Amino acid sequence: MVPTSYDPNSPDEQPVALPEAPLVRLSPNAVLQPPRTRRGTGPGMIVILPPSSAVKPSTRAEKPLDPEPVLKCAEEGFAVVGVTPFSEGWSISEAISQGVDALLDLQELDTKDKFAVTVYHPESLPDVLIAIEKDTRIACLVVYGSAPHSSRVPVMAHLPSSAEKAKGTANLSVFTYESASPHFVLPHVDDYVPPFASLAHSRNVPFWRKHLGGPYFDIEAIWEEHTYFEFETRSVAHTMGTMVAEPYVNHVTTMTGGIGRKSLTNFYRDHFIFANPADTRLETVSRTIGADRVVDEFIFHCTHDRVIDWLLPAVPPTGRKLAIPMLGVVNVRGDRLYHEHIWWDQGTAMIQAGIMPSIVPFPLDGDVGR
């Protein structure tokens, strides 16, 4: 029987463990992060990060949900060696050669013959290019802030508008962003620009997968698993178990949802999963699948027999049948959801609920005063 209220003692409401993969220190300036996915295995990547002296720390009052590059790439399903150049520890050359060796020793690595390098510190690019020329195990390169004139491997470059212009070639993809800094992708710095960071990362994902052979996930199935736990079994714990460590949901029309795991768990428990009428169902109209996004056009069906505060806040039940067209943009990171953006026309919802007239008097034929 489908539950109608939250029961913390229910077997379906016991916490679902998040993927665990402890960070390993390789040298004073290098760490190894195994994949942080439910699958637990994946190909390898070396990430070159800027030293603290090269960036201005963020002054934002709230920390962004977006994780740092090493963790973010691990949540995408990669095994990641993160290296920050400074006087102690590995040089760039050692970061590439010894980083690959460390990945090869990792049990969770599932691809042994090709690796990616991602550079978030453009000043390191010349040394990275030299190291890549010597190490044929490197299969592709992503770089922020600068575009190489030539490279042995395919390159994707993300440039701020202040950078020297570069033209794409068969071996070089170039994208430019309206930012003065190459560090727009880093959530811990003042120059962080969330939309550009998200767009650049979404461009990276299929590039990495193409040249490393994965990791590939059935993101449509992941989305359907998530909605199954929301609307069919109605389990808060299992719903949250399909999401990354710090997800968010935004019902844009009513600005309801939750930001971060604690807030979103509370929203699902107190305002969504058990607030939906018993006959709630989703009717798919169309679906578009991308590398890391599902765009769903659907109709939300229910009988308005209770207050549905995420949809019609503070509106008493009217008993009316609702069939509201909706659009969802769902971002999937690895094999878990990161966020949902859901839209609908509130006028349609209010008319169907009978709380807004379908015809509003309007002056015609010059009868402005009427």
Side-chain angles (χ1 to χ4, degrees):
M1 183 177 178
V2 176
T4 58
S5 62
Y6 179 73
D7 177 6
N9 297 315
S10 167
D12 287 336
E13 293 299 353
Q14 301 315 299
V16 176
L18 294 173
E20 290 291 338
L23 197 70
V24 178
R25 176 67 60 180
L26 299 175
S27 81
N29 68 336
V31 295
L32 171 62
Q33 175 62 67
R36 294 283 289 267
T37 58
R38 291 184 285 181
R39 179 183 294 173
T41 62
M45 176 189 302
I46 297 165
V47 169
I48 308 297
L49 301 164
S52 58
S53 59
V55 298
K56 181 181 177 182
S58 174
T59 56
R60 292 178 177 83
E62 295 185 4
K63 181 181 178 182
L65 292 184
D66 203 8
E68 298 300 323
V70 169
L71 178 55
K72 190 170 185 175
C73 292
E75 287 188 336
E76 288 288 4
F78 296 96
V80 186
V81 169
V83 181
T84 306
F86 56 81
S87 57
E88 295 184 18
W90 288 350
S91 65
I92 294 297
S93 176
E94 291 170 332
I96 303 300
S97 62
Q98 295 187 41
V100 169
D101 291 342
L103 288 166
L104 287 169
D105 288 336
L106 187 67
Q107 183 179 355
E108 293 86 351
L109 188 78
D110 65 9
T111 302
K112 309 288 186 179
D113 59 340
K114 44 194 172 184
F115 301 83
V117 175
T118 302
V119 179
Y120 295 89
H121 183 230
E123 289 79 2
S124 297
L125 181 59
D127 290 334
V128 168
L129 291 171
I130 292 172
I132 287 177
E133 288 295 326
K134 298 176 182 178
D135 198 326
T136 58
R137 299 174 295 182
I138 304 304
C140 64
L141 170 66
V142 171
V143 58
Y144 288 84
S146 183
H149 296 294
S150 64
S151 171
R152 180 185 62 78
V153 300
V155 180
M156 179 171 285
H158 303 285
L159 306 181
S161 52
S162 59
E164 178 184 350
K165 298 295 184 289
K167 291 184 178 181
T169 67
N171 209 40
L172 172 64
S173 300
V174 179
F175 300 97
T176 302
Y177 306 82
E178 291 298 322
S179 170
S181 167
H183 301 131
F184 64 84
V185 72
L186 300 173
H188 69 287
V189 307
D190 238 13
D191 297 318
Y192 174 60
V193 184
F196 296 162
S198 175
L199 180 56
H201 184 78
S202 289
R203 286 167 168 163
N204 290 340
V205 169
F207 179 79
W208 286 326
R209 290 173 178 170
K210 174 183 176 181
H211 295 289
L212 299 184
Y216 290 100
F217 301 96
D218 186 345
I219 65 173
E220 182 178 16
I222 294 165
W223 169 232
E224 290 184 342
E225 175 194 32
H226 179 81
T227 57
Y228 173 77
F229 290 137
E230 283 181 307
F231 297 105
E232 298 295 329
T233 64
R234 301 205 179 194
S235 165
V236 176
H238 289 172
T239 298
M240 293 302 300
T242 67
M243 308 190 85
V244 298
E246 293 298 336
Y248 74 91
V249 167
N250 184 6
H251 294 128
V252 180
T253 305
T254 52
M255 294 302 290
T256 56
I259 300 175
R261 178 159 289 270
K262 182 178 179 180
S263 174
L264 184 54
T265 298
N266 292 344
F267 170 73
Y268 276 143
R269 183 190 65 218
D270 300 332
H271 303 286
F272 188 80
I273 287 179
F274 305 106
N276 288 318
D279 64 349
T280 297
R281 64 184 179 90
L282 306 184
E283 177 188 351
T284 300
V285 175
S286 72
R287 178 171 290 172
T288 304
I289 311 297
D292 65 351
R293 274 170 175 75
V294 177
V295 179
D296 233 10
E297 184 183 8
F298 60 95
I299 298 174
F300 178 86
H301 293 272
C302 74
T303 301
H304 187 219
D305 59 6
R306 66 193 70 184
V307 175
I308 312 174
D309 54 3
W310 65 269
L311 178 66
L312 292 164
V315 176
T318 62
R320 296 198 176 204
K321 297 285 187 180
L322 306 181
I324 304 169
M326 294 188 176
L327 181 72
V329 179
V330 182
N331 182 203
V332 181
R333 184 181 298 151
D335 55 7
R336 294 178 293 159
L337 269 68
Y338 171 44
H339 69 62
E340 301 172 49
H341 298 166
I342 311 293
W343 285 266
W344 64 90
D345 175 58
Q346 193 67 356
T348 298
M350 294 172 71
I351 288 172
Q352 290 188 14
I355 59 174
M356 188 172 84
S358 58
I359 299 175
V360 179
F362 187 80
L364 300 173
D365 299 326
D367 296 333
V368 178
R370 301 182 79 181

